[in-house]
Amino acid sequence: MDAVELNQLSYAYGSVLAVQDVSLSIAAGEVVAVLGPNGAGKSTTLLMLLGLLPPRTGSVRLLGGTPQAAVAAGRLGAMPQVGGLLPRASVGDLLTFLHDVYPHPMPVAEALDLADLTGLAGRTVERLSGGQAQRLRFAMAVIGRPDLLVLDEPTAALDVSSRRAFWSSMRSYVAQGRTVLFSTHYLEEADDNADRIVVLDRGRVIADGTADEIKRRVDVRTVSIRGTDHDLSVLPGVIDVAQRPGRTILTTDDADATVLALAGTGLLRDLEVTGADLEEAFLTLTRQEV
Amino acid sequence: MLPYVRLELRRLTRTPGLLIFTAVMPLLSYLLFTNITTITGQDKASAATYTMISMAGYGAIGALLNYAGGLVTDRSIGWLRQLRLTPLAPVKVVLGKGLAAMATALFPVLLLCVAAVVVNGVHLRAGQWLTIVPLLWLGSLPFALLGLAVGYLATSQTVQPVTFLLYLGLSIAGGLWLPLDILPGWLASAGRLLPTHAYADMSWEVAFGGTPGLRDVVTLAVWLVVFGALAVVGFRRSVRRVAVL
């Protein structure tokens, strides 16, 4: 039995299709990242998965039943993207409450330790830093020892060091063999923390595989030279050619081969090679699909 | 449900200022009204007893409306949505919130009764105290439901004016500020139909040697059902809309 089975999910906000025909199976014990740029449909997909949003078409099975059944049995832990912390409550208040609500929870002290919050139990949520608040949300999501943990962009609002601290907490949890599904728009995070990456773009699954497989597909670079009218789209590796004032910009999935070939054409002037950012990489990936 | 009540009560003890604030206004009004002879008239002792009940009720209702109005925040920050992903059923959340709210209503009731005895020398038989305090406390249940209804149906923009108007309107027209007998006739007749009047009148009857009238009990029961229905409507709407981004 799969931990998660999404079967041809679709959802529209008004006439805008946010999610189209998303199907996904996650086996127990897998750690899966849903990767995609902003607006790719990640949050909408997760809301449907959690049973908070009824899909327009398609179906969701979690741990062999409905999302509601998984929630009621305390087998699901979820960390929303924003909010969710009750004002004027302390870290300890919230964790004690959740401890009392789940059928097979871990001790509060263990949750504090796991989220690196030991010593902060008495602090009210208003006085937590962004990173501490996010680790509290994490502790709240795992204290019930859920069979399936779902995290919606857990590090979106964090700085680099808080992000590192968060994933270090997360890894100790994953090491216990739990099923985890998280969304992110950082390729690096997906790479470091997931066994498998599902790439969503404009509401569709456009890639699904191990980190290496995905990275190979989105590992594109930008090669920029002094402007030229020559047709460069035929050069090896080139996916896209764009003209800017005074510059010709090539997007390539094999920068070495492209630069070598450019040298051969004699057009190599003012060369700049940069890693394409992820948005760009995704755009490239989507163009390949079309 | 009990874990949720505990959570809410722990939050309350962290910010006692909120609770004190809702009780201080009725207390000050009480001390002022009952110690100005031009207001109390000749019968200071009766006025002290009568107003003790008015202001205790006024304080209890204020605490309830204020507290349950906090539900608007719980909704807007996504806390209720977060709870939907725990094994705690939504109906237990709302019951837990209501029970915790009732705990806040006890404080102004006790405070006003103590002030009446200590400052104004109000003297009632033990049996009267043992009837009046529970009546003032538990009789405020309809207002807890009203508060929950407002908390579910209002938005963060409307909750304050709505709460303020309901609180003041029901209190004044129900005779908690001034006895209904001195209000214009049409307002007095309308006021007798309000839950605030029925609620306080049960205790007034007991304080002046009578027993709660059937009319008051029925009136309060009808409002209990009305406010309860509103709370259920709001609750259902909130459960349906919880995922709206």
Side-chain angles (χ1 to χ4, degrees), chain A residues 6-17:
Chain A
L6 304 185
N7 187 19
Q8 296 194 300
L9 283 189
S10 294
Y11 193 83
Y13 294 102
S15 60
V16 183
L17 271 170

PDB file of all heavy atoms in Angstrom, chain A residues 6-17:
ATOM      1  N   LEU A   6      -2.099  10.039  -5.446  1.00  0.00           N
ATOM      2  CA  LEU A   6      -2.874  11.102  -6.077  1.00  0.00           C
ATOM      3  C   LEU A   6      -3.220  10.614  -7.469  1.00  0.00           C
ATOM      4  O   LEU A   6      -2.350  10.184  -8.226  1.00  0.00           O
ATOM      5  CB  LEU A   6      -2.067  12.405  -6.179  1.00  0.00           C
ATOM      6  CG  LEU A   6      -1.487  12.974  -4.890  1.00  0.00           C
ATOM      7  CD1 LEU A   6      -0.822  14.320  -5.171  1.00  0.00           C
ATOM      8  CD2 LEU A   6      -2.566  13.112  -3.833  1.00  0.00           C
ATOM      9  N   ASN A   7      -4.506  10.678  -7.786  1.00  0.00           N
ATOM     10  CA  ASN A   7      -4.944  10.146  -9.053  1.00  0.00           C
ATOM     11  C   ASN A   7      -5.611  11.233  -9.888  1.00  0.00           C
ATOM     12  O   ASN A   7      -6.735  11.637  -9.604  1.00  0.00           O
ATOM     13  CB  ASN A   7      -5.905   8.979  -8.775  1.00  0.00           C
ATOM     14  CG  ASN A   7      -6.279   8.255 -10.048  1.00  0.00           C
ATOM     15  OD1 ASN A   7      -5.591   8.382 -11.054  1.00  0.00           O
ATOM     16  ND2 ASN A   7      -7.374   7.509  -9.991  1.00  0.00           N
ATOM     17  N   GLN A   8      -4.867  11.737 -10.875  1.00  0.00           N
ATOM     18  CA  GLN A   8      -5.394  12.728 -11.825  1.00  0.00           C
ATOM     19  C   GLN A   8      -6.108  13.895 -11.161  1.00  0.00           C
ATOM     20  O   GLN A   8      -7.232  14.236 -11.507  1.00  0.00           O
ATOM     21  CB  GLN A   8      -6.317  12.039 -12.825  1.00  0.00           C
ATOM     22  CG  GLN A   8      -5.558  11.027 -13.676  1.00  0.00           C
ATOM     23  CD  GLN A   8      -6.366  10.589 -14.874  1.00  0.00           C
ATOM     24  OE1 GLN A   8      -7.459  10.040 -14.701  1.00  0.00           O
ATOM     25  NE2 GLN A   8      -5.855  10.843 -16.057  1.00  0.00           N
ATOM     26  N   LEU A   9      -5.421  14.526 -10.207  1.00  0.00           N
ATOM     27  CA  LEU A   9      -5.992  15.673  -9.507  1.00  0.00           C
ATOM     28  C   LEU A   9      -6.001  16.909 -10.393  1.00  0.00           C
ATOM     29  O   LEU A   9      -5.023  17.206 -11.064  1.00  0.00           O
ATOM     30  CB  LEU A   9      -5.148  16.019  -8.282  1.00  0.00           C
ATOM     31  CG  LEU A   9      -5.272  15.178  -7.034  1.00  0.00           C
ATOM     32  CD1 LEU A   9      -4.506  15.850  -5.913  1.00  0.00           C
ATOM     33  CD2 LEU A   9      -6.719  14.987  -6.674  1.00  0.00           C
ATOM     34  N   SER A  10      -7.131  17.627 -10.355  1.00  0.00           N
ATOM     35  CA  SER A  10      -7.189  18.926 -11.019  1.00  0.00           C
ATOM     36  C   SER A  10      -7.899  19.910 -10.112  1.00  0.00           C
ATOM     37  O   SER A  10      -8.758  19.524  -9.327  1.00  0.00           O
ATOM     38  CB  SER A  10      -7.958  18.851 -12.343  1.00  0.00           C
ATOM     39  OG  SER A  10      -7.246  18.054 -13.249  1.00  0.00           O
ATOM     40  N   TYR A  11      -7.487  21.179 -10.211  1.00  0.00           N
ATOM     41  CA  TYR A  11      -8.175  22.215  -9.459  1.00  0.00           C
ATOM     42  C   TYR A  11      -8.076  23.541 -10.200  1.00  0.00           C
ATOM     43  O   TYR A  11      -7.054  23.836 -10.804  1.00  0.00           O
ATOM     44  CB  TYR A  11      -7.604  22.380  -8.047  1.00  0.00           C
ATOM     45  CG  TYR A  11      -8.506  23.214  -7.183  1.00  0.00           C
ATOM     46  CD1 TYR A  11      -9.595  22.631  -6.541  1.00  0.00           C
ATOM     47  CD2 TYR A  11      -8.312  24.580  -7.057  1.00  0.00           C
ATOM     48  CE1 TYR A  11     -10.465  23.382  -5.784  1.00  0.00           C
ATOM     49  CE2 TYR A  11      -9.183  25.346  -6.299  1.00  0.00           C
ATOM     50  CZ  TYR A  11     -10.251  24.742  -5.662  1.00  0.00           C
ATOM     51  OH  TYR A  11     -11.123  25.499  -4.924  1.00  0.00           O
ATOM     52  N   ALA A  12      -9.161  24.314 -10.153  1.00  0.00           N
ATOM     53  CA  ALA A  12      -9.148  25.630 -10.807  1.00  0.00           C
ATOM     54  C   ALA A  12      -9.618  26.685  -9.831  1.00  0.00           C
ATOM     55  O   ALA A  12     -10.550  26.463  -9.066  1.00  0.00           O
ATOM     56  CB  ALA A  12     -10.061  25.609 -12.027  1.00  0.00           C
ATOM     57  N   TYR A  13      -8.919  27.843  -9.804  1.00  0.00           N
ATOM     58  CA  TYR A  13      -9.425  29.018  -9.099  1.00  0.00           C
ATOM     59  C   TYR A  13     -10.132  29.853 -10.144  1.00  0.00           C
ATOM     60  O   TYR A  13      -9.483  30.445 -11.007  1.00  0.00           O
ATOM     61  CB  TYR A  13      -8.279  29.817  -8.484  1.00  0.00           C
ATOM     62  CG  TYR A  13      -7.570  29.066  -7.376  1.00  0.00           C
ATOM     63  CD1 TYR A  13      -6.348  28.442  -7.615  1.00  0.00           C
ATOM     64  CD2 TYR A  13      -8.131  28.975  -6.107  1.00  0.00           C
ATOM     65  CE1 TYR A  13      -5.705  27.748  -6.596  1.00  0.00           C
ATOM     66  CE2 TYR A  13      -7.498  28.282  -5.097  1.00  0.00           C
ATOM     67  CZ  TYR A  13      -6.284  27.678  -5.344  1.00  0.00           C
ATOM     68  OH  TYR A  13      -5.649  26.993  -4.345  1.00  0.00           O
ATOM     69  N   GLY A  14     -11.465  29.891 -10.088  1.00  0.00           N
ATOM     70  CA  GLY A  14     -12.208  30.556 -11.151  1.00  0.00           C
ATOM     71  C   GLY A  14     -11.939  29.827 -12.453  1.00  0.00           C
ATOM     72  O   GLY A  14     -12.152  28.628 -12.543  1.00  0.00           O
ATOM     73  N   SER A  15     -11.431  30.553 -13.443  1.00  0.00           N
ATOM     74  CA  SER A  15     -11.181  29.888 -14.722  1.00  0.00           C
ATOM     75  C   SER A  15      -9.704  29.544 -14.875  1.00  0.00           C
ATOM     76  O   SER A  15      -9.267  29.040 -15.899  1.00  0.00           O
ATOM     77  CB  SER A  15     -11.623  30.802 -15.868  1.00  0.00           C
ATOM     78  OG  SER A  15     -10.878  32.001 -15.796  1.00  0.00           O
ATOM     79  N   VAL A  16      -8.903  29.836 -13.837  1.00  0.00           N
ATOM     80  CA  VAL A  16      -7.466  29.563 -13.919  1.00  0.00           C
ATOM     81  C   VAL A  16      -7.177  28.158 -13.396  1.00  0.00           C
ATOM     82  O   VAL A  16      -7.435  27.855 -12.233  1.00  0.00           O
ATOM     83  CB  VAL A  16      -6.666  30.590 -13.075  1.00  0.00           C
ATOM     84  CG1 VAL A  16      -5.172  30.346 -13.226  1.00  0.00           C
ATOM     85  CG2 VAL A  16      -7.035  31.997 -13.477  1.00  0.00           C
ATOM     86  N   LEU A  17      -6.674  27.317 -14.271  1.00  0.00           N
ATOM     87  CA  LEU A  17      -6.337  25.957 -13.857  1.00  0.00           C
ATOM     88  C   LEU A  17      -5.049  25.990 -13.040  1.00  0.00           C
ATOM     89  O   LEU A  17      -3.987  26.308 -13.561  1.00  0.00           O
ATOM     90  CB  LEU A  17      -6.145  25.075 -15.091  1.00  0.00           C
ATOM     91  CG  LEU A  17      -7.393  24.384 -15.618  1.00  0.00           C
ATOM     92  CD1 LEU A  17      -7.118  23.740 -16.962  1.00  0.00           C
ATOM     93  CD2 LEU A  17      -7.886  23.349 -14.625  1.00  0.00           C
TER      94      LEU A  17
END
